[in-house]
Amino acid sequence: MQRVQLLQMTQPTVVARQGRAVQPTAVRTSLTSASAAAAGPAVVVPEVGSIAAGQTNRGRLINGVQLPASGPDWIALSPPSNRWTTDRMLAYLFAVLRDYRLANPGAPQVMIGDLSLPYGGRFAGHVSHQNGLDADVFYPRLDRSLQAPRRVRDVDRALAQDLVNRFVAAGAQFVFVGPHVGLGGPPGIVQVLKDHDDHVHVRIANARR
């Protein structure tokens, strides 16, 4: 199974690290080589040694990084305090979203919802999302508007399934989808969960275990 690749890149774009400036080794992510040059350089994530401590439903985040409000492939719909994660998870997201947009040049930017809080821990509205290994990504809309789908009929199911497939291929531990959207994937990885008809919930495994 193909995994996230971390590669050196010049002129890095560094995201925030819990409010402190860092000069880490710059890494970039890419799972797609064809036509990647034409799309420009991949977004760079600082490798800061983030730690996902504890469980996704009872944990905390150490040395987290913050998802910027927007980028070439995404727009964040959550407030800044809800957009913290591990360096590895951020690199994973950037890789998948870049590949998705390269494969679907007419697709709009992907809308990202909640990740974790700056130091993890309990997160109102979520059972998990506590240690930087979970991400909510809204399904693409048929009308291409940059807002969360309000109804199942708003979802572009073909693009949504392609996005799910790419999360799985990149090594997701779990991908939770809504019961009425009609999306699928490998049993045990892609699982149907209520309250997920407007977004896919992606989780990666804790590499430190």
Side-chain angles (χ1 to χ4, degrees):
M1 183 178 292
Q2 199 170 28
R3 299 280 181 173
V4 171
Q5 303 170 31
L6 300 180
L7 305 173
Q8 187 70 31
M9 179 182 175
T10 58
Q11 297 181 338
T13 299
V14 179
V15 299
R17 175 192 177 187
Q18 293 185 344
R20 293 182 293 172
V22 293
Q23 294 297 327
T25 300
V27 296
R28 74 171 183 175
T29 60
S30 179
L31 301 177
T32 300
S33 56
S35 72
V43 176
V44 176
V45 177
E47 191 175 24
V48 299
S50 299
I51 298 174
Q55 307 295 322
T56 57
N57 63 347
R58 189 177 180 181
R60 59 196 178 99
L61 174 62
I62 302 169
N63 288 344
V65 290
Q66 185 186 45
L67 173 76
S70 63
D73 304 312
W74 79 90
I75 290 178
L77 298 188
S78 291
S81 61
N82 295 8
R83 303 200 307 259
W84 292 85
T85 186
T86 64
D87 48 9
R88 180 168 164 266
M89 179 55 151
L90 199 61
Y92 169 85
L93 284 174
F94 287 169
V96 174
L97 299 187
R98 186 168 191 257
D99 282 4
Y100 165 82
R101 296 254 292 162
L102 285 170
N104 301 283
Q109 292 163 295
V110 177
M111 298 158 290
I112 300 180
D114 288 342
L115 301 176
S116 292
L117 299 176
Y119 297 95
R122 292 185 180 181
F123 196 156
H126 299 282
V127 175
S128 57
H129 287 261
Q130 291 196 21
N131 66 351
L133 298 179
D134 295 283
D136 288 343
V137 178
F138 291 101
Y139 301 127
R141 292 177 56 112
L142 280 169
D143 62 9
R144 301 296 192 265
S145 64
L146 295 175
Q147 56 184 323
R150 296 183 178 180
R151 298 153 296 193
V152 170
R153 65 173 178 265
D154 294 334
V155 176
D156 187 320
R157 297 191 185 190
L159 285 180
Q161 184 64 63
D162 185 68
L163 194 55
V164 167
N165 293 346
R166 292 177 188 279
F167 282 129
V168 171
Q173 182 182 32
F174 298 111
V175 178
F176 302 108
V177 298
H180 305 107
V181 191
L183 305 177
I189 298 178
V190 178
Q191 301 183 19
V192 174
L193 194 63
K194 67 176 183 178
D195 300 324
H196 286 69
D197 280 334
D198 63 345
H199 72 279
V200 54
H201 176 162
V202 182
R203 179 178 299 160
I204 62 172
N206 194 340
R208 297 181 64 85
R209 293 183 179 174

